[in-house]
């Protein structure tokens, strides 16, 4: 009898190259320099608590949690990290600011991209996270990265000006003192939150205005200490929750019990395949509907039919106006191929009208699913005459103005 020898475990370099090949197949790491950095930096050495296979799997690895179990720090999913590095477009010689040190892995990638004449400053508000990142950067040969225990929202003015900046934590607002640390023409990639959703936006500074150059889907741990978002349940069992921004005229008391009203269900004829997403509808709504927010139904509310939002236990897009509500829903289409049709459900006195507006936006989105609104970011103190035309999102320090490609403002 012949014994078949056991297969040898893959080397870290082999697993790393397989991961990078997957990233390239997904359409990321389009800059050859980003690809080279990903093939060079040993991610497993920045994740000493994980096995090598986990370190090179295409998934987020949580490395530290709050006492309530929520994620405090993590290693970003590699495809998302590569996407953001593509957005950042680091050049040799750039001085880069990173908010959210995490494991230190992204800072190491940035340090390779900046070259010998560049520099990287990485910040984390948690002292233990910053210290561990510092230790791993030293161990892996990136000791010249500056790692500081500091709130990323305030930056590091002593090392400014910066030509590039990246957030690996999700801010709701960007203080003026931080934005002032970037040179004119600088590029800032930030997973910004507005209207209940999050997008990785690449902004380029043009004097006192920042203009978006790309917008991509992403999700990050929210930045600690920014309270501009609000949440409230709209039912007695607290199984359905809304999330909105402080500048929106949304009164949760007026909406309480709205789901008990008769519903208007509108179908669209727009379908999605198993690997397609409805998130583009949400992004479009933030540029067309002032009452856009997020809605989340617990499994119990979803199963009972109280709120059949796009997906149970996940925030999806909704519209609110006075005491009425409409939200996006999906239903499986019968047939051999797995397809889901998008629809709109409305509740309340103006629920049918809201659902009709949502249906119209879904259908318009379907005509060009790749279209993205432009976003300009201004100080809240900027004169109105200097603002771009579009739908405004007001934050504490900045205001965003969103306009669709075909919008006339």
């Amino acid at each position: 009898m012949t014994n078949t020898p056991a297969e040898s475990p893959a080397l870290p370099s082999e697993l790393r190259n397989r991961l990078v090949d997957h990233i390239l197949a997904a359409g990321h790491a389009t800059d050859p320099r980003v690809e080279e950095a990903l093939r060079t930096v040993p991610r497993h050495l920045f994740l000493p608590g994980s096995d090598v296979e986990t370190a090179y799997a295409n998934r987020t690895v949580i490395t530290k949690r709050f006492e309530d179990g929520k994620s405090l720090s993590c290693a970003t999913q590699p495809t998302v990290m590569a996407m953001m590095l593509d957005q950042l477009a680091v050049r040799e010689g750039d001085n880069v600011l990173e908010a959210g040190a995490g494991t230190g892995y992204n800072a190491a990638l940035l340090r390779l991209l900046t070259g010998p004449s560049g520099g990287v400053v990485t910040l984390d508000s948690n002292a233990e996270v910053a210290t561990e990142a510092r230790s791993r950067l030293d161990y892996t040969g990136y000791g010249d990265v500056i790692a500081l225990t500091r709130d990323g929202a305030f930056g590091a003015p002593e090392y400014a000006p910066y030509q590039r900046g990246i957030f690996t934590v999700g801010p709701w607002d960007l203080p003026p003192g931080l934005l002032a640390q970037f040179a004119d023409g600088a590029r800032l990639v930030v997973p910004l939150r507005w209207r209940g959703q999050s997008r990785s936006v690449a902004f380029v500074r043009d004097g006192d205005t920042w203009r978006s150059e790309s917008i991509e889907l992403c999700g990050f741990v929210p930045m600690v200490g920014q309270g501009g978002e609000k949440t409230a349940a709209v039912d007695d069992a607290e199984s359905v929750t809304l999330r909105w921004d402080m500048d929106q005229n949304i009164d949760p008391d007026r909406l309480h019990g709205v789901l008990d009203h008769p519903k208007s269900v509108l179908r669209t004829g727009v379908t999605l395949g198993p690997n397609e997403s409805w998130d583009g509808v949400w992004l479009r709504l933030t540029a067309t509907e002032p009452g856009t927010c997020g809605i989340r139904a617990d499994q119990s509310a979803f199963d009972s039919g109280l709120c059949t939002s796009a997906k149970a236990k996940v925030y999806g897009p909704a519209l609110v106006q006075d005491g009425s509500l409409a939200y996006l829903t999906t239903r499986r289409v019968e047939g051999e191929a797995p397809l889901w049709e998008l629809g709109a459900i409305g509740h309340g006195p103006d629920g049918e009208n809201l659902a009709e507006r949502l249906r119209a936006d879904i259908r318009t989105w379907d005509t060009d699913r790749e279209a993205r609104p432009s976003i300009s970011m201004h100080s809240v103190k900027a004169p109105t005459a200097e603002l771009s035309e579009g739908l405004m999102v007001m934050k504490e320090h900045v205001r965003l103005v969103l306009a669709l490609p075909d919008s006339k403002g």
Side-chain angles (χ1 to χ4, degrees), residues 266-281:
L266 304 181
R267 299 302 174 191
T268 65
V270 176
T271 58
L272 299 177
N275 297 317
E276 296 177 311
S277 171
W278 40 257
D279 283 284
V281 175

Side-chain angles (χ1 to χ4, degrees), residues 19 63-64 77 81-82 127 147 150 155 180 198 201 203 218 226 247 280 291 313 322 328 330 348 379 408:
L19 173 61
T63 55
K64 193 171 295 294
Q77 183 179 3
M81 182 173 289
R150 190 174 299 179
S198 174
V201 184
F203 287 106
C218 73
Q226 293 190 336
D247 69 317
K313 300 189 291 184
D322 300 324
L328 184 144
T330 63
S379 166
K408 297 180 181 178

Side-chain angles (χ1 to χ4, degrees), residues 3 29 35 98 110 143 146 185 225 236 242 253 259 274-275 280-281 293 295 298 308-309 312 319 331 352 375 392 406:
N3 292 325
E35 177 189 349
E98 179 189 39
L110 292 169
I146 298 169
D236 290 337
L242 293 183
D253 292 334
L259 296 172
N275 297 317
V281 175
C293 60
I295 190 168
D298 287 350
T308 51
S309 53
L319 301 181
R331 71 181 181 109
E352 185 174 2
I375 305 176
M392 187 178 300
D406 58 346

Side-chain angles (χ1 to χ4, degrees), residues 297-332:
D298 287 350
Q299 195 68 53
S300 59
F302 192 89
D303 292 341
S304 70
L306 177 66
C307 178
T308 51
S309 53
K311 187 176 182 180
K313 300 189 291 184
V314 174
Y315 274 101
L319 301 181
V320 168
Q321 183 171 293
D322 300 324
S324 299
L325 167 72
Y327 60 84
L328 184 144
T329 186
T330 63
R331 71 181 181 109
R332 178 69 184 266

Side-chain angles (χ1 to χ4, degrees), residues 88 95-98 152 155 160-167 174-189 205 207 210:
L88 192 60
N95 190 26
V96 182
L97 176 69
E98 179 189 39
Y162 301 100
Q163 289 77 44
R164 294 289 186 270
I166 185 169
F167 276 64
L174 295 170
L178 169 69
L179 296 177
Q181 296 171 33
F182 291 91
D184 198 30
R187 183 181 291 261
L188 174 63
V189 175
R205 184 175 183 179
W210 293 76

Side-chain angles (χ1 to χ4, degrees), residues 55-114:
Y56 291 110
N58 183 38
R59 64 171 184 259
T60 300
V61 180
I62 298 175
T63 55
K64 193 171 295 294
R65 296 181 183 270
F66 289 103
E67 291 183 0
D68 62 3
K70 293 182 179 179
S71 175
L72 168 63
S73 182
C74 64
T76 304
Q77 183 179 3
T79 47
V80 174
M81 182 173 289
M83 174 196 76
M84 294 179 72
L85 289 175
D86 277 346
Q87 286 184 293
L88 192 60
V90 177
R91 305 161 302 183
E92 289 196 19
D94 279 342
N95 190 26
V96 182
L97 176 69
E98 179 189 39
T103 64
Y105 172 64
N106 197 53
L109 293 171
L110 292 169
R111 188 66 191 93
L112 272 185
L113 292 170
T114 59

